[in-house]
């Protein structure tokens, strides 16, 4: 007996309500994903070479650009401090005023004192200052601009109003590129360029053939980036043609930082092609994903969708009876025909079958994710050497900051005469203009503070060191006490500036990964990440890197630290008489997985594919379980009750799909059996 004798017309919703909808939607998405893997994974594996090298140099060039901006900003700080000291002992004559300012600005090429508002020259010294190039002669704060002097050279013009007067101080300084070792490939030259591509300062051999790339790089004055030229158009290196590259970063000055109109551009060459050999085999990943997708879709299609649609056709009377492996389908089929349900082996529940059908997707997702996550990328030597360059630049920036702090104090001391208490406004100005200090103060010969500015001193009261220099007072405690000191002209007082460790840490944060500043005892003084002061480096790779750097031999390389692979490089904070005795070292550790390498691109793509496959598997599992498996299991339970004689419970369709149609057919079968078993009324 089949239910369609009553003429049931199935009422089923359209897409996406049917059994085939999940396969159509998720299956199409998975097929597109496999196609994407076929195209993108091999392309990513071959995307190394020039692009990877250029991107790996962007942090280095940005660090060099910031160091250049710091040197320009130091001039503004020196000028502000000199102006503040002038107010302590003012000179009414322009010549005397200019002489006092000159002693406080040792970097100046030329100085001029002009009338504010009109620009009339009152006094000048050194090289002629292009007063006419100052765009606004009625300024009320320090400004920095890029101008040309009388010889046509590009110089930096810094202007500041002189407190208590209607005069302006103008200072011209030259442009300089921070020291950095150019060791051939990839770097050949470092250039300072204007926005129109004109080279105003260079270091290294600049080949004019790079000029079009330099012009294009100079046009972008707000962001860091790189340009890769035509493959094979660079010089021949080790018998192979290379690709020219240009990496650029803007020079930003002021607070907030604004473009000065200069860019730092690194030009050089890099290998034209990357290697297709990666730790994550792209063909293997694609094959595994494709096999998992095919297996799951085939199991769901032929093992779940097709049997249930055949059962629906059977219930409607349009299909001959078949045998079913799904237990719920067999129960419903027997109930529709009013047959005794035999107990057979080999049946499987719909819930378990759907889980097993989706399992290949989930297992594939887990396997690819684990393998890609644990893969160690191949790091070209050029990238490792670039990390050493980054450590050198970071160490140089710290050296310049600390040397500048001592230079500030020495300049300040040249004008700090008379009553010590009268220096407080000038000390406050020194603090305001130089963020490198946490406090600045004057002590007596025994180290007791006489006048101060900034936060409370951390330095323990003790007799100050003789002469000028940089010092580290403690090797234990909550905060490292690092300071610069210089005696005042009266020789009975000492000027001390405590360095702000947070400021030193901000310089370390410019570099990727985790940078640390350590002393000669391998104790941490500052760090880019959270740290405890004076924690001793515990990892052998970091200790060896610092030891090599202190010994004069920097050996950057890759090492495993706490189960993760890093590029490790170290550089000493040396190069000036004030910092050499400290024997401080910068050590950088950057995870290999964060480097701009083709291996990492492949790894990220593989992880994305694994995540997408896993999400698709869960979507299929949830869709089929909620919309079909659960209603089917309840329908099978109703069929069992029906076979056991329950003819009163109405079987309602839960959803307007194939399972809903089966519910209608089974309820129609229940009504027919109720009619045949009802007692016939007696006729009187």
């Amino acid at each position: 007996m089949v239910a369609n004798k009553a003429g049931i017309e199935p009422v089923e919703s359209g897409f996406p309500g049917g059994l085939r909808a999940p396969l159509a939607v998720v299956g199409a998405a998975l097929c597109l994903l496999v196609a994407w893997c076929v195209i993108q994974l091999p392309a990513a594996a071959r995307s190394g070479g020039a692009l990877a090298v250029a991107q790996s140099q962007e942090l280095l060039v940005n660090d060099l650009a910031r160091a250049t901006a710091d040197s320009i900003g130091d001039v503004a700080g020196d000028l502000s401090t000199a102006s503040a000291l002038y107010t302590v002992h003012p000179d009414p004559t322009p010549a005397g005023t200019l002489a006092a300012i000159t002693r406080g600005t040792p970097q100046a090429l030329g100085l001029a004192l002009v009338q504010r508002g009109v620009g009339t020259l009152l006094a000048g010294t050194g090289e002629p200052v292009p007063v006419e190039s100052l765009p606004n002669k009625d300024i009320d704060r320090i400004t920095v601009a890029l101008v040309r002097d009388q010889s046509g050279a590009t110089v930096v013009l810094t202007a500041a109003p002189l407190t208590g007067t209607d005069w302006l101080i103008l200072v011209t300084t030259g442009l300089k590129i921070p020291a950095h070792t150019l060791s051939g490939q990839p770097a050949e030259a470092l250039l300072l360029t204007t926005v129109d591509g004109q080279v105003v300062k260079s270091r290294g051999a600049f080949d004019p053939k790079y000029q079009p790339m330099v012009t294009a790089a100079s046009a972008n004055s707000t962001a860091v980036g790189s340009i890769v030229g035509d493959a094979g158009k660079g010089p021949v290196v080790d018998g192979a043609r290379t690709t020219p590259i240009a990496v650029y970063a803007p020079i930003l000055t002021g607070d907030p930082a604004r473009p000065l109109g200069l860019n730092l551009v690194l030009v050089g060459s890099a290998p034209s092609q990357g290697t297709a050999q990666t730790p994550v085999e792209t063909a293997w990943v694609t094959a595994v994903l494709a096999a998992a997708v095919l297996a799951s879709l085939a199991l769901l299609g032929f093992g779940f969708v097709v049997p249930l649609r055949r059962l629906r056709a059977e219930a409607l009377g349009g299909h001959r009876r078949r045998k079913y492996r799904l237990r719920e389908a067999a129960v419903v089929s027997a109930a529709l025909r009013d047959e005794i349900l035999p107990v057979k082996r080999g049946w499987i529940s719909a819930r378990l079958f759907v889980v097993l059908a989706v399992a290949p997707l989930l297992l594939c997702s887990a396997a690819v994710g684990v393998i890609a996550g644990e893969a160690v990328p191949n790091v070209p030597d050029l990238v490792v050497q670039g990390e050493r360059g980054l450590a050198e630049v970071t160490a140089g920036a710290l050296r310049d900051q600390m040397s500048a702090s001592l230079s500030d104090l020495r300049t300040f001391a040249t004008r700090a005469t008379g009553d010590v208490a009268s220096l407080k406004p000038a000390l406050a100005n020194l603090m305001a203009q130089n963020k490198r200090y946490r406090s600045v103060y004057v002590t007596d010969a025994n180290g007791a503070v006489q006048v101060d500015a900034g936060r409370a001193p951390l330095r323990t009261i003790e007799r100050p060191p003789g002469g000028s220099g940089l010092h580290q007072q403690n090797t234990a405690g909550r905060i490292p006490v690092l300071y610069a000191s210089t005696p005042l002209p009266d020789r009975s007082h000492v000027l001390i500036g405590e360095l702000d460790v947070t400021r030193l840490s901000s310089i370390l944060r410019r570099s990727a990964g985790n940078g640390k500043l350590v002393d000669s005892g391998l104790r941490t003084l500052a760090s880019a990440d959270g740290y405890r002061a004076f924690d001793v480096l515990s990892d052998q790779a970091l200790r060896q890197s610092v030891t090599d750097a202190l010994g004069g031999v920097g050996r950057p390389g890759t090492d495993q630290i706490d189960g993760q692979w890093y590029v490790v490089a170290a550089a000493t904070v040396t190069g000036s008489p004030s910092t050499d005795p400290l024997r401080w070292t910068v050590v950088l550790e950057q995870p290999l997985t964060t480097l701009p390498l083709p291996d990492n691109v492949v790894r990220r793509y593989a992880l994305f594919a694994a995540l997408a496959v896993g999400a698709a598997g869960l979507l299929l599992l949830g869709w089929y379980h909620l919309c079909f498996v659960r209603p089917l299991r309840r329908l099978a339970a109703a069929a069992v009750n029906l076979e056991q004689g329950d003819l009163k419970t109405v079987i309602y369709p839960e959803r307007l799909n194939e399972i809903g149609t089966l519910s209608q057919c089974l309820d129609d079968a229940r009504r027919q059996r109720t009619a045949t078993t009802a007692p016939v009324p007696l006729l009187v």
Side-chain angles (χ1 to χ4, degrees):
M1 177 176 62
V2 294
N4 205 36
K5 290 182 178 179
I8 291 178
E9 291 295 333
V11 179
E12 298 174 358
S13 60
F15 184 86
L19 277 165
R20 293 173 291 188
L23 282 183
V25 174
V26 181
L30 287 173
C31 290
L32 289 175
L33 178 65
V34 172
W36 177 82
C37 291
V38 170
I39 298 172
Q40 285 296 111
L41 288 181
R46 295 189 297 267
S47 66
L51 180 60
V53 172
Q55 290 177 343
S56 71
Q57 299 296 304
E58 290 180 5
L59 275 174
L60 172 64
V61 174
N62 190 36
D63 244 12
L64 289 169
R66 289 184 177 183
T68 303
D70 288 344
S71 66
I72 295 173
D74 286 342
V75 176
D78 292 343
L79 184 57
S80 176
T81 302
S83 300
L85 285 170
Y86 167 80
T87 62
V88 178
H89 302 287
D91 191 315
T93 65
T97 299
L98 191 62
I101 299 297
T102 301
R103 289 194 294 269
T105 52
Q107 301 166 300
L109 298 175
L111 291 95
L113 187 68
V114 302
Q115 191 75 32
R116 181 176 174 180
V118 295
T120 304
L121 181 64
L122 302 177
T125 184
E127 297 182 4
V129 177
V131 178
E132 67 283 355
S133 299
L134 183 65
N136 181 12
K137 298 177 178 61
D138 190 20
I139 62 175
D140 57 359
R141 56 194 175 100
I142 295 179
T143 60
V144 180
L146 208 62
V147 300
R148 296 185 184 276
D149 61 14
Q150 291 184 348
S151 66
T154 302
V155 295
V156 178
L157 177 63
T158 306
L162 191 59
T163 305
T165 70
D166 58 353
W167 298 339
L168 291 179
I169 296 292
L170 305 183
V171 179
T172 56
T173 51
L175 294 168
K176 65 177 183 178
I177 299 175
H180 174 62
T181 304
L182 295 174
S183 55
Q185 195 178 14
E188 294 180 4
L190 281 169
L191 314 172
L192 276 175
T193 65
T194 58
V195 291
D196 59 357
Q198 181 180 359
V199 179
V200 298
K201 192 77 173 179
S202 65
R203 189 152 55 82
F206 173 52
D207 193 329
K209 70 182 180 182
Y210 289 110
Q211 186 59 51
M213 295 178 63
V214 171
T215 302
S218 302
N220 192 331
S221 61
T222 59
V224 182
S226 55
I227 297 175
V228 177
D230 295 332
K233 297 298 184 180
V236 177
V237 177
D238 295 332
R241 276 285 179 183
T242 59
T243 298
I245 62 173
V247 186
Y248 55 88
I251 307 297
L252 306 176
T253 60
D255 188 16
R258 293 179 296 272
L260 181 62
L262 280 178
N263 280 284
L264 183 67
V265 182
L266 178 150
V267 293
S269 59
S272 296
Q273 294 294 332
T275 174
Q277 299 297 321
T278 63
V280 181
E281 291 294 340
T282 58
W284 176 86
V285 171
T286 305
V288 170
L289 289 177
V293 169
L294 182 62
S296 290
L297 295 182
L299 286 172
L300 286 172
F302 294 103
F304 188 80
V305 174
V306 170
L308 290 181
R309 288 190 60 83
R310 286 175 175 171
L311 178 60
R312 169 186 174 277
E314 175 188 332
L316 293 175
H319 200 285
R320 65 183 180 85
R321 185 185 179 189
R322 293 178 177 270
K323 295 182 179 180
Y324 301 98
R325 291 291 184 182
L326 291 176
R327 182 171 62 241
E328 290 83 356
V331 169
V332 173
S333 176
L336 287 171
R337 297 180 175 274
D338 196 13
E339 297 177 351
I340 298 175
L341 180 63
V343 179
K344 291 186 178 181
R345 297 180 179 178
W347 285 354
I348 184 172
S349 71
R351 175 187 294 171
L352 179 59
F353 183 84
V354 170
V355 170
L356 293 177
V358 174
L361 293 177
L362 301 180
L363 293 175
C364 170
S365 174
V368 173
V370 169
I371 293 175
E374 294 181 351
V376 179
N378 299 316
V379 186
D381 184 64
L382 288 176
V383 177
V384 175
Q385 297 302 322
E387 190 72 10
R388 180 180 66 177
L390 196 57
E392 292 175 350
V393 172
T394 304
L398 288 169
R399 179 196 61 232
D400 293 344
Q401 284 290 312
M402 292 185 291
S403 298
S405 68
L406 185 58
S407 177
D408 290 342
L409 299 188
R410 286 171 174 169
T411 301
F412 190 100
T414 60
R415 291 282 294 171
T417 59
D419 184 17
V420 172
S422 65
L423 297 176
K424 189 171 181 62
L427 290 174
N429 180 270
L430 179 62
M431 278 290 304
Q433 297 298 325
N434 296 278
K435 305 298 184 183
R436 61 177 67 99
Y437 304 110
R438 70 176 309 278
S439 61
V440 180
Y441 47 91
V442 177
T443 71
D444 59 19
N446 295 321
V449 177
Q450 303 296 300
V451 60
D452 67 318
R455 289 174 281 177
L458 292 174
R459 180 179 165 275
T460 303
I461 296 178
E462 62 181 16
R463 190 174 185 84
S468 300
L470 292 164
H471 313 282
Q472 175 185 339
Q473 187 183 49
N474 58 342
T475 57
R478 187 173 60 89
I479 300 176
V481 180
L482 317 174
Y483 66 95
S485 66
T486 190
L488 295 184
D490 61 9
R491 296 295 173 180
S492 61
H493 293 87
V494 178
L495 179 62
I496 294 178
E498 290 187 6
L499 300 179
D500 188 354
V501 178
T502 303
R503 171 70 175 177
L504 300 180
S505 298
S506 69
I507 297 175
L508 294 170
R509 278 192 288 273
R510 294 177 184 176
S511 305
N514 183 23
K516 289 183 174 66
L517 175 65
V518 299
D519 61 13
S520 57
L522 306 185
R523 295 176 292 262
T524 304
L525 302 177
S527 176
D529 294 337
Y531 76 107
R532 291 179 59 187
F534 304 112
D535 272 352
V536 179
L537 294 181
S538 57
D539 187 84
Q540 183 57 36
L542 298 179
R543 295 175 64 88
Q544 187 62 49
S545 182
V546 173
T547 302
D548 291 343
L550 288 173
V553 183
R555 295 189 180 93
T558 58
D559 288 284
Q560 194 173 24
I561 302 174
D562 295 332
Q564 186 175 0
W565 284 89
Y566 292 84
V567 178
V568 177
T572 54
V573 186
T574 56
S576 71
S578 58
T579 59
D580 288 354
L582 295 173
R583 292 178 58 81
W584 288 351
T585 307
V586 170
V587 58
L588 300 182
E589 47 178 324
Q590 183 173 1
L592 299 190
T593 54
T594 63
L595 293 172
L597 301 173
D599 290 1
N600 284 330
V601 176
V602 172
R603 175 178 171 273
R604 287 193 293 269
Y605 283 176
L607 288 174
F608 166 75
L611 180 63
V613 167
L618 293 176
L619 177 60
L620 276 175
L621 180 61
W623 196 339
Y624 272 113
H625 185 264
L626 294 176
C627 296
F628 302 102
V629 173
R630 291 180 63 182
L632 181 61
R633 287 171 61 84
R634 286 191 284 268
L635 181 61
V640 171
N641 292 336
L642 179 61
E643 287 300 304
Q644 292 176 351
D646 183 5
L647 302 178
K648 295 182 178 180
T649 302
V650 178
I651 303 173
Y652 295 101
E654 297 185 19
R655 297 178 181 272
L656 298 180
N657 54 24
E658 290 87 344
I659 308 302
T661 299
L662 289 174
S663 299
Q664 295 179 49
C665 294
L666 191 60
D667 191 65
D668 182 62
R670 179 192 64 80
R671 291 195 301 270
Q672 292 182 31
R673 296 176 194 177
T674 302
T676 57
T677 58
V680 179
L682 297 175
L683 296 178
V684 180

